[in-house]
Amino acid sequence: MSKLKILLVEDDNNLGELLKEYLDLKGYEARLARDGEEAFNLFRKETYDLCIFDVMMPKKDGFSLAKEVRSVDKQIPIIFLTAKSMKEDTLEGLRIGADDYMTKPFSMEELLLRMKAILRRSQPQTNSAEEKKIFEIGAYLFDYEQQLLKKDEKTTKLTTKEAELLKLLCNNLNQTLERSLALRLIWRDDTYFNARSMDVYITKLRKYLKDDPQVEIINVHGTGYRLQVLGA
């Protein structure tokens, strides 16, 4: 399967190189441009699966670049990166047709997860591991799409948030899932009240998974949670 191609435009040399290196490491083919003009020249020469545009750039800003790209390809997903958190910028990005919008500084892991979510919607034909809908968790079978957790003859119907949280844990099996990342992806905000709400959901998931001693959701102090499955 060929690698998905990403057009990355970032005028900060250090951040641009870091992002390119990270995306290449994660299995993508990233092309890095330093300004809007260079980016549009690259866009006209090659076909891309997703664009990541910095907003504030020399020669041509990210919004102007996005308008030009959209005039050529109305469907290609675009994520904006900006150092600003101004509401006007967010609205402008959405008006142009941004698929997502991230304010610096941001977690590269969160950017990657958002990219995967957008690419799943825009390329439903792909069969990547990130699109996995059925998960084996020890003696349990978790059907994310149907929101069902099964063990032997017992089936538990999960709520949407329970299913989203369990899927994130499964995608990070035996690894730490950052608490703040889960809150931003599922609750869209890592406030104290949302954090307390997530604790309640974690308690519920522990209860659903308690019949298999090989399966455990562990608190990682000060960081998050880890779905641990012995032998997995």
Side-chain angles (χ1 to χ4, degrees):
M1 184 178 171
S2 60
K3 292 181 178 181
L4 295 177
K5 288 180 72 172
I6 311 296
L7 178 57
L8 171 63
V9 194
E10 173 57 66
D11 68 325
D12 182 311
N13 287 339
N14 291 333
L15 179 58
E17 289 294 343
L18 278 172
L19 282 170
K20 176 178 168 31
E21 187 177 319
Y22 180 77
L23 293 174
D24 288 345
L25 190 66
K26 293 298 180 180
Y28 297 93
E29 186 179 338
R31 291 277 193 275
L32 175 61
R34 309 292 183 183
D35 60 65
E37 285 186 4
E38 181 188 355
F40 193 59
N41 287 334
L42 285 174
F43 182 78
R44 288 187 296 186
K45 291 175 184 174
E46 298 182 277
T47 301
Y48 296 91
D49 298 287
L50 182 141
C51 298
I52 301 173
F53 294 162
D54 186 21
V55 172
M56 301 298 291
M57 293 187 296
K59 298 185 181 179
K60 187 179 294 176
D61 65 70
F63 293 147
S64 300
L65 173 61
K67 287 175 185 174
E68 290 189 345
V69 164
R70 280 275 186 257
S71 70
V72 177
D73 185 340
K74 296 187 185 305
Q75 302 301 319
I76 189 164
I78 298 174
I79 297 175
F80 284 121
L81 308 178
T82 181
K84 293 182 179 179
S85 57
M86 291 173 61
K87 186 177 180 181
E88 290 78 9
D89 271 6
T90 307
L91 292 174
E92 174 68 8
L94 294 173
R95 188 182 65 77
I96 291 169
D99 293 84
D100 213 333
Y101 197 99
M102 297 192 69
T103 304
K104 301 174 187 176
F106 54 84
S107 156
M108 288 195 186
E109 185 181 11
E110 182 178 356
L111 173 63
L112 185 66
L113 287 170
R114 292 195 187 194
M115 283 173 53
K116 288 176 179 177
I118 291 168
L119 288 166
R120 277 199 298 272
R121 293 195 297 269
S122 66
Q123 301 193 344
Q125 76 278 9
T126 59
N127 294 311
S128 62
E130 290 76 33
E131 289 191 57
K132 193 173 177 183
K133 300 283 174 38
I134 306 292
F135 299 87
E136 289 184 22
I137 312 170
Y140 293 90
L141 197 66
F142 168 42
D143 185 329
Y144 167 69
E145 205 158 56
Q146 300 297 318
Q147 297 179 199
L148 298 175
L149 186 64
K150 304 175 184 179
K151 182 181 181 294
D152 302 325
E153 301 302 312
K154 183 179 178 181
T155 299
T156 303
K157 176 68 174 176
L158 304 180
T159 67
T160 299
K161 276 193 168 58
E162 287 168 352
E164 291 286 352
L165 186 52
L166 186 55
K167 185 182 181 218
L168 270 182
L169 288 163
C170 287
N171 282 336
N172 291 273
L173 188 65
N174 291 331
Q175 299 176 28
T176 300
L177 170 66
E178 289 183 21
R179 184 185 183 88
S180 59
L181 177 61
L183 283 167
R184 289 195 300 272
L185 290 174
I186 299 174
W187 278 267
R188 297 297 176 190
D189 199 348
D190 57 355
T191 64
Y192 172 79
F193 295 104
N194 286 339
R196 297 302 298 159
S197 175
M198 186 166 73
D199 288 340
V200 171
Y201 282 98
I202 288 288
T203 300
K204 287 182 178 179
L205 290 178
R206 284 188 176 123
K207 183 180 177 183
Y208 301 151
L209 297 166
K210 67 180 173 56
D211 291 334
D212 185 350
Q214 305 294 305
V215 177
E216 188 178 4
I217 299 177
I218 296 169
N219 279 345
V220 180
H221 184 67
T223 306
Y225 304 98
R226 181 168 67 248
L227 176 58
Q228 185 167 290
V229 179
L230 297 180

